[in-house]
Amino acid sequence: MPGMAGRMSTVIKSKVSRLLDRAEDPSETLDYGYQKQVEHLQQVKKGIADVVTAKKRLQMQSQKIEQNVVKLDTQARQAISQNREDLARVALERKTLAQTELQSLDQQVTELENQQQQLTDSEQKLRTKIEAFRTKKEVIKAQYSAAEAQVKISEAATGVGEEMADVGLAIQRAEDKTEQMRARAGAVEELEAAGTFDDLTQLGPPQDDLDRELNQLGAGAQVDDELAKMKAELGSGEGDRPALEEGEAPAEGEGSGPAKGESA
Amino acid sequence: MIVRISGEGQFKLPDEDAQRLNDLDNSAVEAVEQGDRDKFKELWDQMLDVVARDGEQLPGDELVESDVIMPPRDISFDEACREFSGDGLIPD
């Protein structure tokens, strides 16, 4: 078959024959083969552990961002009640950005969970084959002459070898995926470090990076909606208030908040 | 014939299916070469259907070689493309 399956088959078979490339003395091959299989099982376990580690990292990141969402929401409300719509808007923009990131993180965590499940299944399958091989090799050693044994061994070993090669592929795919996610997680951490998701108590002068991020969001409409909703909730929704004075410094400090706006 | 779906295990299929799978496989390759995602997906699903319909899963402790090894069920179009652009799904 020259197609996909053909190519898969060829590659896996060549891997298998390399895995089994040691067939002078049948009984030696058997024990050597078994030892190799057990080693392979360890690799699968490591593959699973890597996926779990990557998953945990993403989960931690997600928790952190979740906390920020709550914090930013509170701060937006505080800002509104102090008539600082400008600050409230920034908080809501950041909140939207953080929420978008949260969604994507949750998706990735789910994906990694699937990977983990798949690898665990593969490990179980390989374990079953290895166990079957272990039993079979003792039977072969006991029952067959060297020449006959050779044929039987190579059949049995090929069966396990194929499973090993296949599990190897599964691990490799899982690694590729976690690698992509790791890169992305790193990028998110950079964003965090740049203060993108930070709470407003740390808000400094406007940053170019940050502004760019926020603009890219195109989240204006969502932020407007939320802002209006919050204002209504907080009972400051009369609508005929004059806009905030221009040119105010965005924040004076934390805690007590600026008392400069119109006092209600 | 024995068919393995990578990541899922081995299935015993009637020998008549070999030709059908082979034809679908070749068409899937054409779809990949033409960059036709939908067509590829359709053909790939058909291949999986053949195995699902006619295949009987081999017991896990059976030690036999497969005649054909199909890529993982969730192979993406991009992975399929790589499969034919030298590197392959599994770099050799």
Short mmCIF file of all heavy atoms in Angstrom, two decimals, chain A residues 77 80-81 83 227-241 264:
data_model
loop_
_atom_site.label_atom_id
_atom_site.label_comp_id
_atom_site.label_asym_id
_atom_site.label_seq_id
_atom_site.Cartn_x
_atom_site.Cartn_y
_atom_site.Cartn_z
N ARG A 77 -15.97 47.68 40.12
CA ARG A 77 -17.12 48.18 40.89
C ARG A 77 -16.71 49.33 41.81
O ARG A 77 -17.42 50.34 41.93
CB ARG A 77 -17.72 47.05 41.74
CG ARG A 77 -18.55 46.10 40.91
CD ARG A 77 -18.86 44.81 41.65
NE ARG A 77 -19.24 43.81 40.68
CZ ARG A 77 -20.47 43.69 40.20
NH1 ARG A 77 -21.42 44.49 40.62
NH2 ARG A 77 -20.74 42.78 39.28
N ILE A 80 -16.28 52.43 39.80
CA ILE A 80 -17.54 53.06 39.40
C ILE A 80 -18.14 53.82 40.57
O ILE A 80 -18.60 54.96 40.42
CB ILE A 80 -18.54 51.99 38.90
CG1 ILE A 80 -18.08 51.48 37.54
CG2 ILE A 80 -19.94 52.59 38.78
CD1 ILE A 80 -18.87 50.32 37.04
N SER A 81 -18.10 53.19 41.75
CA SER A 81 -18.74 53.87 42.87
C SER A 81 -17.97 55.12 43.26
O SER A 81 -18.48 55.98 43.97
CB SER A 81 -18.90 52.90 44.06
OG SER A 81 -17.63 52.50 44.48
N ASN A 83 -16.90 57.02 40.88
CA ASN A 83 -16.99 57.82 39.65
C ASN A 83 -15.72 57.84 38.83
O ASN A 83 -15.39 58.84 38.21
CB ASN A 83 -17.40 59.24 39.98
CG ASN A 83 -18.82 59.31 40.44
OD1 ASN A 83 -19.71 58.72 39.81
ND2 ASN A 83 -19.05 59.98 41.56
N LEU A 227 -19.82 47.52 31.62
CA LEU A 227 -19.71 48.76 32.36
C LEU A 227 -21.11 49.32 32.64
O LEU A 227 -21.42 49.73 33.77
CB LEU A 227 -18.89 49.76 31.53
CG LEU A 227 -18.31 50.97 32.25
CD1 LEU A 227 -17.41 50.55 33.38
CD2 LEU A 227 -17.53 51.82 31.25
N ALA A 228 -21.93 49.31 31.62
CA ALA A 228 -23.29 49.84 31.77
C ALA A 228 -24.05 49.02 32.80
O ALA A 228 -24.76 49.58 33.66
CB ALA A 228 -24.01 49.79 30.42
N LYS A 229 -23.87 47.71 32.72
CA LYS A 229 -24.58 46.83 33.64
C LYS A 229 -24.14 47.12 35.09
O LYS A 229 -24.96 47.23 35.98
CB LYS A 229 -24.24 45.37 33.29
CG LYS A 229 -25.46 44.45 33.45
CD LYS A 229 -25.12 43.03 33.05
CE LYS A 229 -25.00 42.86 31.54
NZ LYS A 229 -24.40 41.57 31.16
N MET A 230 -22.85 47.24 35.26
CA MET A 230 -22.32 47.50 36.60
C MET A 230 -22.84 48.82 37.14
O MET A 230 -23.19 48.94 38.31
CB MET A 230 -20.80 47.57 36.55
CG MET A 230 -20.15 46.24 36.87
SD MET A 230 -18.38 46.47 37.04
CE MET A 230 -17.92 44.74 37.16
N LYS A 231 -22.87 49.81 36.25
CA LYS A 231 -23.32 51.12 36.70
C LYS A 231 -24.77 51.04 37.14
O LYS A 231 -25.16 51.62 38.16
CB LYS A 231 -23.15 52.15 35.57
CG LYS A 231 -21.71 52.63 35.48
CD LYS A 231 -21.42 53.28 34.16
CE LYS A 231 -21.85 54.73 34.11
NZ LYS A 231 -21.41 55.35 32.84
N ALA A 232 -25.55 50.32 36.37
CA ALA A 232 -26.96 50.17 36.73
C ALA A 232 -27.09 49.47 38.07
O ALA A 232 -27.84 49.89 38.95
CB ALA A 232 -27.68 49.37 35.65
N GLU A 233 -26.31 48.41 38.23
CA GLU A 233 -26.35 47.65 39.48
C GLU A 233 -25.98 48.51 40.68
O GLU A 233 -26.54 48.36 41.76
CB GLU A 233 -25.36 46.49 39.42
CG GLU A 233 -25.92 45.21 38.83
CD GLU A 233 -24.81 44.19 38.69
OE1 GLU A 233 -23.97 44.08 39.61
OE2 GLU A 233 -24.79 43.52 37.64
N LEU A 234 -25.02 49.35 40.44
CA LEU A 234 -24.53 50.15 41.55
C LEU A 234 -25.32 51.44 41.72
O LEU A 234 -24.95 52.32 42.50
CB LEU A 234 -23.05 50.46 41.36
CG LEU A 234 -22.14 49.22 41.42
CD1 LEU A 234 -20.75 49.55 40.93
CD2 LEU A 234 -22.09 48.69 42.84
N GLY A 235 -26.35 51.56 40.93
CA GLY A 235 -27.26 52.68 41.09
C GLY A 235 -26.69 54.01 40.67
O GLY A 235 -27.11 55.07 41.12
N SER A 236 -25.71 53.99 39.78
CA SER A 236 -25.15 55.26 39.33
C SER A 236 -25.45 55.45 37.86
O SER A 236 -24.71 56.08 37.14
CB SER A 236 -23.65 55.30 39.57
OG SER A 236 -23.04 54.28 38.83
N GLY A 237 -26.53 54.89 37.42
CA GLY A 237 -26.81 54.84 35.99
C GLY A 237 -27.69 55.96 35.50
O GLY A 237 -28.44 55.81 34.55
N GLU A 238 -27.63 57.14 36.10
CA GLU A 238 -28.50 58.22 35.63
C GLU A 238 -28.19 58.64 34.21
O GLU A 238 -29.04 59.11 33.49
CB GLU A 238 -28.40 59.45 36.55
CG GLU A 238 -29.27 59.32 37.77
CD GLU A 238 -28.44 59.29 39.02
OE1 GLU A 238 -27.34 58.70 38.99
OE2 GLU A 238 -28.86 59.87 40.02
N GLY A 239 -26.94 58.50 33.83
CA GLY A 239 -26.60 58.69 32.42
C GLY A 239 -26.30 60.14 32.06
O GLY A 239 -25.68 60.40 31.05
N ASP A 240 -26.70 61.09 32.85
CA ASP A 240 -26.46 62.46 32.43
C ASP A 240 -25.26 63.08 33.14
O ASP A 240 -25.06 64.27 33.14
CB ASP A 240 -27.71 63.32 32.65
CG ASP A 240 -28.18 63.24 34.07
OD1 ASP A 240 -27.65 62.36 34.80
OD2 ASP A 240 -29.04 64.02 34.47
N ARG A 241 -24.50 62.20 33.75
CA ARG A 241 -23.29 62.71 34.37
C ARG A 241 -22.32 63.19 33.30
O ARG A 241 -22.20 62.56 32.27
CB ARG A 241 -22.57 61.60 35.13
CG ARG A 241 -23.10 61.41 36.51
CD ARG A 241 -22.47 60.16 37.09
NE ARG A 241 -23.27 59.68 38.18
CZ ARG A 241 -23.24 60.23 39.38
NH1 ARG A 241 -22.44 61.25 39.62
NH2 ARG A 241 -23.99 59.76 40.34
N ALA A 264 -20.63 62.51 45.15
CA ALA A 264 -22.02 62.26 44.81
C ALA A 264 -22.99 63.03 45.71
O ALA A 264 -22.68 63.33 46.84
CB ALA A 264 -22.33 60.78 44.92
#
